[in-house]
Amino acid sequence: MIYTGGGGSPTTTGVDTRGCHEDCERDCEEGTENIHRFRARNDYDSWRGKGEFVIYSIFSEDVTYEEDENGELVITGAALDFVRHVSGGVKGDNVIINPDHEIIIWDIETDGNRMKHVWYEDDGGGEVIRDITLSAEYEGIGVSWVIPITYYSDDDLIGESIVEYCQDIDPSGFEYHPSSDVDFYMNER
C-alpha cells in the first residue's frame, strides 16, 4: 500500500508524489506530534472565565477518565503519560487558532496506537491538584507512578477525542470533534 494522504487511501497507480511507501502517514513524517489547529463556535466562557482552553493529551491503550463527585479528573487504564496545554483568548467565533501544542515524538511500539485528548474551558475557581496513580502491566510486571494534574473546581468539560495512530494528519487530515462546537487537527513537525 502506498500512502497518498487525504483519507489514507492507497493509490491504484503505485505512484506517490511524496515518495512515502508506508501504510500510516505518521510513519512518513516521523516528526513531533502536535495539536496543529482548532476552532470554536462556543468559547464556554462564563462570566468569570477568560476563554482559556485546557487540553490534556493522554497517550496509551485503553485509557479512560471520569469526573468524580468533586469534579476531579480520575484517569484509569494503562496510561503511559500525559501533556497539558493551555490556549488563551478563545472566542466562539469559528476562527482558526494555530496553537502548535507539541506533544511527543509518537512511537507506536512504546506509546501505543491511541492518544486521548480531553478538553476543558478554564473558568477559575479554587485550584485543585490531584495525584493520579497510573498503572500498567509490562511483560507481566505491574508498574505504577503518580502524576499530578492541576485543574480548577469551576472548569467546564468541553469533551474528548481519541486520535488513532494511522488516522491522517494535517493539512488534509482527520477532523476531531471533542464537542459539536469545537474541532481540531493534528500534524507532525
Side-chain angles (χ1 to χ4, degrees), residues 7-179:
S9 301
T11 65
T12 56
T13 63
V15 176
D16 178 7
T17 58
R18 293 184 340 174
C20 179
H21 300 280
E22 300 293 336
D23 290 340
C24 299
E25 186 176 7
R26 282 180 173 84
D27 291 328
C28 298
E29 298 292 324
E30 295 183 6
T32 300
E33 191 73 12
N34 188 50
I35 298 175
H36 181 224
R37 59 188 170 114
F38 73 90
R39 64 182 165 196
R41 288 165 293 287
N42 180 351
D43 59 13
Y44 295 86
D45 198 9
S46 71
W47 61 272
R48 66 184 171 274
K50 303 175 206 147
E52 290 183 338
F53 281 17
V54 178
I55 307 147
Y56 288 96
S57 300
I58 308 164
F59 23 102
S60 186
E61 293 284 338
D62 303 320
V63 176
T64 61
Y65 81 95
E66 65 182 32
E67 284 186 74
D68 68 10
E69 62 277 357
N70 298 318
E72 296 181 25
L73 187 66
V74 179
I75 300 171
T76 58
L80 295 172
D81 206 350
F82 76 94
V83 175
R84 179 182 186 266
H85 287 99
V86 177
S87 286
V90 177
K91 297 178 178 159
D93 55 5
N94 206 30
V95 171
I96 299 279
I97 297 171
N98 296 89
D100 284 325
H101 290 317
E102 185 176 287
I103 301 170
I104 60 170
I105 296 175
W106 194 349
D107 179 346
I108 195 169
E109 297 298 320
T110 58
D111 301 320
N113 70 351
R114 292 180 171 179
M115 192 177 301
K116 182 176 278 193
H117 299 275
V118 182
W119 293 62
Y120 281 88
E121 198 282 321
D122 179 10
D123 276 333
E127 182 174 282
V128 178
I129 299 174
R130 179 179 170 103
D131 288 337
I132 305 296
T133 302
L134 303 174
S135 302
E137 188 170 310
Y138 180 73
E139 296 183 7
I141 300 171
V143 293
S144 65
W145 60 95
V146 175
I147 297 177
I149 294 179
T150 301
Y151 64 97
Y152 299 90
S153 60
D154 293 328
D155 289 354
D156 297 318
L157 175 65
I158 295 170
E160 67 175 45
S161 291
I162 294 176
V163 174
E164 299 279 347
Y165 184 83
C166 281
Q167 289 171 325
D168 290 346
I169 54 180
D170 236 3
S172 60
F174 199 84
E175 183 176 276
Y176 300 95
H177 300 276
S179 82

